[in-house]
C-alpha cells in the first residue's frame, strides 16, 4: 500500500511540475499576445502613423497574422495540454485518496491496477516530458522576446501620435 501511494504521489509531483512549466509557457504567450493585440488596436485607429514606408494597414495585418498564425495556435495547444494534465492530476489525487483509505489487500490491488492502467495510457508525464517542455518554453520565450522587441518601437510611436 505504501509503495503504491509513493508511486502515485511521485506522479502527482511530476504532473504539478509539468503544469507549472505549461503555465509559464501560457503566460509568455499571453504577454506577447497582449503586445500584438495592442499593436493591431493602435494601428487600426484612424490617423495611425506609418512607420517608415510601412502603412498602418500593413502593421495591423502583421500583428493580426502573428496572433492568428503563431500565438493563438500555440496558446490553444498548450491549453489543451494543460487541460489533459489537470484531468490526469485529478485522477491521481483521487487514486491517492482511495489508496489511503483502502482497507483490504483486494482494494489495494484493484487501485494498483487502476494506477497501472493510467501509466499504460501514457497520460502521466515524465521528467523527460518536463525537460522537453522546458526547452520548448525557453526557445519560444526567446523567439517571443525578439518578436516583441521588433515591434516595441513601432507601438511606442503609434501611442505618441
Amino acid at each position: 500500500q505504501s509503495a503504491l501511494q509513493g508511486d502515485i504521489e511521485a506522479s502527482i509531483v511530476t504532473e504539478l511540475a509539468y503544469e507549472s512549466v505549461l503555465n509559464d509557457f501560457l503566460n509568455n504567450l499571453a504577454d506577447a499576445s497582449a503586445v500584438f493585440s495592442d499593436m493591431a488596436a493602435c494601428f487600426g485607429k484612424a490617423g495611425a502613423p506609418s512607420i517608415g514606408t510601412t502603412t498602418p494597414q500593413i502593421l495591423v495585418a502583421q500583428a493580426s497574422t502573428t496572433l492568428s498564425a503563431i500565438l493563438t495556435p500555440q496558446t490553444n495547444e498548450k491549453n489543451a495540454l494543460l487541460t489533459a494534465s489537470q484531468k490526469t492530476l485529478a485522477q491521481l489525487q483521487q487514486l491517492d485518496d482511495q489508496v489511503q483509505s483502502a482497507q483490504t489487500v483486494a482494494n489495494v490491488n484493484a487501485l494498483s491496477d487502476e494506477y497501472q492502467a493510467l501509466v499504460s495510457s501514457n497520460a502521466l508525464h515524465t521528467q523527460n516530458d518536463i525537460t522537453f517542455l522546458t526547452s520548448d518554453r525557453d526557445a519560444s520565450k526567446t523567439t517571443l522576446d525578439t518578436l516583441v522587441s521588433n515591434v516595441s518601437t513601432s507601438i511606442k510611436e503609434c501611442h505618441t501620435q
Side-chain angles (χ1 to χ4, degrees):
Q1 187 170 356
S2 63
L4 175 59
Q5 192 168 3
D7 289 347
I8 293 169
E9 289 173 359
S11 293
I12 289 171
V13 168
T14 301
E15 210 61 41
L16 288 169
Y18 183 81
E19 287 183 16
S20 176
V21 176
L22 271 174
N23 282 318
D24 285 347
F25 209 136
L26 284 164
N27 287 335
N28 295 342
L29 290 166
D31 291 346
S33 293
V35 169
F36 282 92
S37 292
D38 180 39
M39 179 178 169
C42 189
F43 285 103
K45 293 178 185 173
S50 292
I51 302 297
T53 60
T54 308
T55 66
Q57 295 80 9
I58 291 173
L59 292 164
V60 169
Q62 288 173 344
S64 297
T65 299
T66 301
L67 285 163
S68 65
I70 299 171
L71 298 172
T72 299
Q74 283 189 32
T75 300
N76 292 343
E77 175 195 355
K78 299 313 179 226
N79 274 324
L81 291 173
L82 182 60
T83 298
S85 179
Q86 289 169 335
K87 179 182 174 191
T88 299
L89 183 59
Q91 290 172 307
L92 287 167
Q93 289 170 329
Q94 182 179 7
L95 274 173
D96 191 42
D97 291 344
Q98 291 171 334
V99 169
Q100 288 179 36
S101 62
Q103 299 294 319
T104 67
V105 171
N107 286 349
V108 172
N109 288 340
L111 293 167
S112 179
D113 290 345
E114 281 186 52
Y115 176 69
Q116 288 309 316
L118 196 55
V119 170
S120 298
S121 74
N122 291 322
L124 300 181
H125 291 97
T126 66
Q127 190 59 49
N128 285 342
D129 294 323
I130 295 169
T131 300
F132 177 77
L133 184 64
T134 300
S135 176
D136 192 23
R137 178 206 59 200
D138 294 347
S140 174
K141 175 80 169 122
T142 300
T143 301
L144 293 174
D145 287 348
T146 300
L147 288 171
V148 167
S149 176
N150 289 342
V151 299
S152 291
T153 301
S154 298
I155 294 170
K156 287 176 188 168
E157 285 186 41
C158 183
H159 283 298
T160 60
Q161 293 294 320

